């Protein structure tokens, strides 16, 4: 009796495995995503081993202790893969940010410190990408542009990418090196979770968050971004344009508050 029960259980397990395998094969072989849609999906994955050139614009409002400042923030965060052999790769992600702040008739340009996140990971992946590596932040050239400490730490990320979807996050933890605290601390933790869906026609919809916690101030900001856009073949390069609103869920006395706006342009270079 026990032998018959075990045999029936085994057959049931094999049947379930066979059904899931057949479904996975059918999904892979019958994928209806266009080339533009596949590129659009790749551009949501920071750890995908292909050069990406994203340029971003954020409009933020109600900055400063008096909530009277407005901010135009421009970012350039290229993703550069470096092959380290047949089984290992390095993703290099420098982050350059320029803030243009206005308060009544006063204008302040802020070139934030250069940040560099790196991710060592497997050279090949199908649905799951992961990486970890050192993080660096240069000290600001003056106190208006941010912390004058050097930031050293760890960056890490992971993404799950079945057809149409990209789900995951990248993060870094920075420890401030140096005693100059005039421009604030470099002791921060930053995580950027996101979930995106790309249609067969290369329309992509993304919900993302950027959470930054300052260990010394013991305060965190959290900006949500809901964006959507289209990927097209422009002069032989797959190019994506996205736009949408932002909202500051948690704030500090000097951070932006309320609603803002996002605009992004990303070019994916051929392999």
């Amino acid at each position: 009796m026990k032998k018959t029960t075990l045999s029936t259980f085994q057959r049931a397990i094999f049947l379930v495995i066979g059904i899931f395998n057949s479904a996975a094969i059918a999904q892979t072989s019958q994928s209806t995503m266009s080339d533009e849609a596949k590129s659009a999906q790749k551009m949501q994955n920071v750890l995908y081993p292909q050069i990406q050139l994203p340029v971003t614009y954020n409009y933020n409002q109600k900055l400063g202790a008096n909530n009277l400042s407005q901010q135009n923030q421009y970012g350039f965060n290229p993703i550069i893969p470096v092959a380290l052999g047949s089984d290992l790769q390095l993703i290099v992600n420098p982050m350059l940010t320029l803030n243009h702040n206005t308060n009544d008739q006063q204008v302040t340009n802020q070139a934030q410190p250069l940040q560099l996140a790196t991710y060592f990971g497997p050279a090949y992946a199908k649905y799951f990408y992961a990486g970890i590596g050192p993080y660096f932040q240069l000290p600001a050239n003056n106190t208006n542009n941010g912390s004058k400490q050097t930031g050293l730490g760890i960056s890490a990320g992971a993404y799950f990418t079945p057809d149409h979807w990209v789900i995951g996050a990248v993060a870094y933890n920075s420890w401030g090196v140096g005693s100059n605290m005039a421009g604030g601390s470099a002791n921060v933790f930053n995580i950027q979770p996101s979930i995106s869906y790309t249609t067969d026609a290369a329309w992509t919809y993304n919900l993302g968050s950027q959470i930054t916690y300052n260990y010394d101030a013991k305060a965190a900001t959290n900006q949500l971004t809901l964006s959507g856009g289209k990927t097209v073949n422009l002069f032989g390069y797959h190019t994506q344009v996205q736009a949408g609103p932002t909202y500051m869920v948690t704030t500090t006395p000097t951070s932006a508050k309320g609603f803002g706006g996002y605009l992004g342009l990303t070019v994916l270079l051929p392999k």
Side-chain angles (χ1 to χ4, degrees):
M1 181 68 180
K2 290 183 179 179
K3 183 177 180 180
T4 303
T5 303
L6 180 60
S7 177
T8 302
F9 177 75
Q10 288 176 328
R11 285 197 296 269
I13 291 296
F14 290 145
L15 177 61
V16 171
I17 292 174
I19 292 173
F20 276 104
N21 284 341
S22 298
I25 293 172
Q27 182 183 23
T28 302
S29 61
Q30 297 176 7
S31 176
T32 55
M33 297 181 73
S34 64
D35 288 342
E36 287 80 7
K38 292 176 182 178
S39 291
Q41 183 183 18
K42 294 172 184 175
M43 284 186 271
Q44 307 307 306
N45 180 0
V46 174
L47 303 181
Y48 191 82
Q50 194 166 346
I51 295 176
Q52 301 182 38
L53 303 176
V55 179
T56 60
Y57 167 76
N58 279 276
Y59 170 74
N60 300 311
Q61 62 171 335
K62 299 181 180 180
L63 283 82
N66 56 11
N67 295 340
L68 296 178
S69 294
Q70 315 295 316
Q71 182 181 77
N72 296 295
Q73 185 178 78
Y74 306 91
F76 179 53
N77 310 314
I79 296 166
I80 305 167
V82 180
L84 300 177
S86 58
D87 299 322
L88 182 66
Q89 70 172 1
L90 170 65
I91 299 292
V92 180
N93 180 207
M95 294 172 274
L96 301 93
T97 306
L98 174 65
N99 294 332
H100 180 79
N101 298 340
T102 58
N103 186 338
D104 195 13
Q105 300 299 318
Q106 297 181 349
V107 176
T108 304
N109 291 317
Q110 297 177 310
Q112 290 187 193
L114 171 66
Q115 299 169 282
L116 179 66
T118 65
Y119 309 91
F120 289 94
Y124 300 100
K126 187 172 184 181
Y127 295 123
F128 184 75
Y129 295 79
I132 187 170
Y135 166 87
F136 306 95
Q137 176 177 306
L138 296 179
N141 55 14
N142 64 67
T143 56
N144 290 329
N145 290 344
S147 175
K148 291 185 71 71
Q149 288 186 312
T150 297
L152 299 177
I154 298 173
S155 46
Y159 287 96
F160 178 54
T161 63
D163 277 358
H164 300 284
W165 294 93
V166 175
I167 305 166
V170 289
Y172 64 81
N173 196 95
S174 172
W175 292 276
V177 178
S179 58
N180 191 339
M181 303 289 287
S185 168
N187 294 309
V188 298
F189 172 75
N190 177 280
I191 185 169
Q192 300 174 42
S194 64
I195 179 171
S196 69
Y197 180 80
T198 301
T199 70
D200 291 340
W203 285 93
T204 299
Y205 306 96
N206 182 283
L207 175 62
S209 174
Q210 180 161 192
I211 303 169
T212 302
Y213 178 77
N214 187 296
Y215 291 108
D216 292 331
K218 295 180 173 57
T221 60
N222 179 10
Q223 186 174 49
L224 286 179
T225 301
L226 177 63
S227 62
K230 174 75 169 175
T231 298
V232 297
N233 191 319
L234 186 64
F235 303 112
Y237 297 93
H238 285 156
T239 303
Q240 182 179 88
V241 178
Q242 282 202 320
T246 65
Y247 182 74
M248 296 294 295
V249 179
T250 60
T251 65
T252 66
T254 58
S255 71
K257 300 170 185 67
F259 284 97
Y262 168 83
L263 178 64
L265 172 70
T266 303
V267 178
L268 186 68
L269 299 188
K271 285 189 175 182

